[in-house]
Amino acid sequence: MQRLVRLAVAGTAMLVLAAASPADSPLNVPEPDGIWTGPQRGYTPATLSGATVIDIDALDALIARDKPVLLDVSLADRRPAGFPDDRPWLPAHRSIPGAVWMASAGAAPLDPAREALFLRRVAALTDGDKGRAIVAFCHPECWGSWNAAKRLVLQGYTRVHWFPEGIEGWQERHPTTVVPQDAAWNAPAGGEVQR
């Protein structure tokens, strides 16, 4: 993809072609061939092949009609630099009510063991039904939920929805609630917890 850039050289305006990366503009961001492995924050495509991109109205209707599995893949808050070691760090993650929070499940690359765990958890949450409605989300302009949805599409899930407006889009219309990180996702290696 290329774009025109206006340069002023010695008082004369010139147009030159310059290469543009997908993160240069919110318009016409191309879909990658597979999982996005670049920076997680940045402009995302308006589409996701094999999935349905939904806005808040469509999400409201989907929740009322189909009770989808809501997958929050937002990053966990990090302990602030300089936070006193003798004080407890107790962040509270706010999300869509009923969401299952699997922090960083949209990362790329994702360790193969974590990816396998993600897919096992989704299989458990959908009772093995690859036709069950699933909504992946995190925050606006974040590739994490795009990647999570794409992983599911690549695994043969047929009713995957991507909600790019994320938690902030939800809270413009509805209250959020504090959700804990999914116990199985957060379990130590080998200590998987079932729902």
Side-chain angles (χ1 to χ4, degrees):
M1 178 162 84
Q2 294 182 329
R3 62 186 167 104
L4 288 175
V5 177
R6 185 177 303 275
L7 295 177
V9 179
T12 304
M14 298 173 40
L15 289 177
V16 296
L17 285 177
S21 68
D24 284 346
S25 168
L27 303 176
N28 301 317
V29 176
E31 281 193 42
D33 291 332
I35 302 294
W36 172 255
T37 58
Q40 291 296 289
R41 297 289 299 160
Y43 298 123
T44 54
T47 59
L48 198 162
S49 296
T52 303
V53 180
I54 58 175
D55 62 11
I56 188 63
D57 292 327
L59 179 57
D60 284 342
L62 186 67
I63 289 171
R65 182 181 65 244
D66 294 337
K67 309 287 187 264
V69 172
L70 301 169
L71 298 177
D72 179 345
V73 298
S74 303
L75 300 175
D77 288 334
R78 294 180 189 239
R79 186 181 188 104
F83 193 87
D85 290 337
D86 62 342
R87 289 201 173 154
W89 167 241
L90 302 170
H93 180 73
R94 298 197 70 82
S95 190
I96 298 173
V100 176
W101 180 34
M102 290 189 272
S104 302
L110 188 60
D111 176 87
R114 293 298 279 173
E115 184 169 14
L117 175 57
F118 172 72
L119 295 173
R120 283 194 309 272
R121 283 302 293 142
V122 172
L125 293 166
T126 61
D127 295 322
D129 180 1
K130 288 194 173 186
R132 173 119 183 244
I134 302 170
V135 178
F137 66 95
C138 55
H139 300 283
E141 297 177 6
C142 180
W143 283 88
S145 56
W146 193 96
N147 279 346
K150 187 66 171 185
R151 277 192 178 99
L152 296 174
V153 167
L154 293 172
Q155 291 298 312
Y157 285 86
T158 59
R159 293 191 61 214
V160 177
H161 299 81
W162 176 44
F163 179 53
E165 296 171 31
I167 296 164
E168 291 80 359
W170 174 267
Q171 69 186 12
E172 285 182 12
R173 185 176 291 174
H174 306 290
T176 57
T177 190
V178 174
V179 297
Q181 195 160 166
D182 181 65
W185 181 252
N186 203 30
E192 187 172 338
V193 176
Q194 293 298 317
R195 70 172 177 124

